[in-house]
Amino acid sequence: RYGHVRHDSPHPLDRYILAKTGELVSASTETMDAHDLFGAAASVREFLDVLTNWYIRRSRDRFWAGDQDAIDTLHTVLETLTRLVAPLLPLTSESIYRGLTGARSVHLADWPDRGSFPSDDELVAVMDEVRSVCSAALSLRKANARRVRQPLRSLHVATPLAAGLGRFEALIRDEVNVRSLTMSDDVGGVA
């Protein structure tokens, strides 16, 4: 076993994905209780995009370095995710769950409890905005035929959450490969 179930990592990316997992537990519980399988599958699909295209990709160096907080967080998220998708993907989730936990069956496990996951609405809102800013910047690069490997001199971001994005400036600069980043909350002055 490579990871342990933990909900207490102090790293912002870990706290973000744990909070998003808690949101997924709530959404899946509601949609499954309403017998809305399409809604449950849509929630899982959206979460998988955040997990793979943001958390795992941004934490890759931490995994390679053996950061136990990152490994335990990913283990916790995957273990919870397999329990959530068990009604939708019974055989696949069974295989993953057994390999991940060594337990007898995912279908004998309890449904995940939302209360065990941290709730950080502010961090989730800010990190979702960071993802949105990065996505928009990368789309602009692509539309203007500017490869991501080519560093840009600067990026100007106007968003109502500019104050919160400040602590993730290095992450944004690294993600979109810019040397300097200017943020403003004056959205009306730009658009």
Side-chain angles (χ1 to χ4, degrees):
R1 221 164 104 153
Y2 295 107
H4 300 86
V5 173
R6 282 184 41 213
H7 302 94
D8 62 350
S9 175
H11 194 280
L13 280 174
D14 295 345
R15 288 186 12 248
Y16 170 71
I17 200 64
L18 288 169
K20 291 294 271 189
T21 305
E23 289 178 359
L24 176 66
V25 169
S26 295
S28 295
T29 302
E30 286 178 28
T31 54
M32 292 293 224
D33 285 349
H35 306 289
D36 179 10
L37 296 180
F38 180 78
S43 297
V44 169
R45 183 185 50 76
E46 290 171 15
F47 177 78
L48 286 172
D49 180 55
V50 173
L51 179 65
T52 59
N53 294 326
W54 187 254
Y55 177 74
I56 291 175
R57 192 170 50 74
R58 293 302 315 164
S59 300
R60 196 176 305 149
D61 292 341
R62 295 174 60 215
F63 296 133
W64 283 110
D67 183 334
Q68 199 60 47
D69 284 340
I71 293 167
D72 288 348
T73 298
L74 182 59
H75 178 87
T76 301
V77 169
L78 292 175
E79 189 268 344
T80 303
L81 184 61
T82 55
R83 288 189 285 152
L84 287 173
V85 300
L88 303 171
L89 301 165
L91 300 176
T92 303
S93 62
E94 179 74 13
S95 177
I96 294 169
Y97 188 80
R98 282 179 157 186
L100 196 60
T101 66
R104 201 166 121 213
S105 175
V106 69
H107 304 291
L108 298 175
D110 291 335
W111 187 256
D113 176 28
R114 168 65 171 115
S116 61
F117 288 90
S119 181
D120 194 338
D121 295 338
E122 180 184 342
L123 175 64
V124 168
V126 169
M127 191 64 76
D128 283 346
E129 187 70 10
V130 167
R131 290 179 48 235
S132 178
V133 165
C134 292
S135 177
L138 292 172
S139 293
L140 284 171
R141 287 184 77 116
K142 186 175 184 176
N144 291 293
R146 303 280 192 246
R147 294 187 349 234
V148 177
R149 289 188 178 188
Q150 176 187 6
L152 297 178
R153 189 174 337 136
S154 65
L155 174 66
H156 302 282
V157 176
T159 175
L161 297 175
L165 295 182
R167 66 188 223 216
F168 298 108
E169 181 179 338
L171 189 148
I172 296 169
R173 281 194 340 249
D174 181 55
E175 181 70 16
V176 298
N177 196 11
V178 296
R179 292 189 178 114
S180 74
L181 181 64
T182 307
M183 287 188 261
S184 169
D185 59 0
D186 181 22
V187 177
V190 178

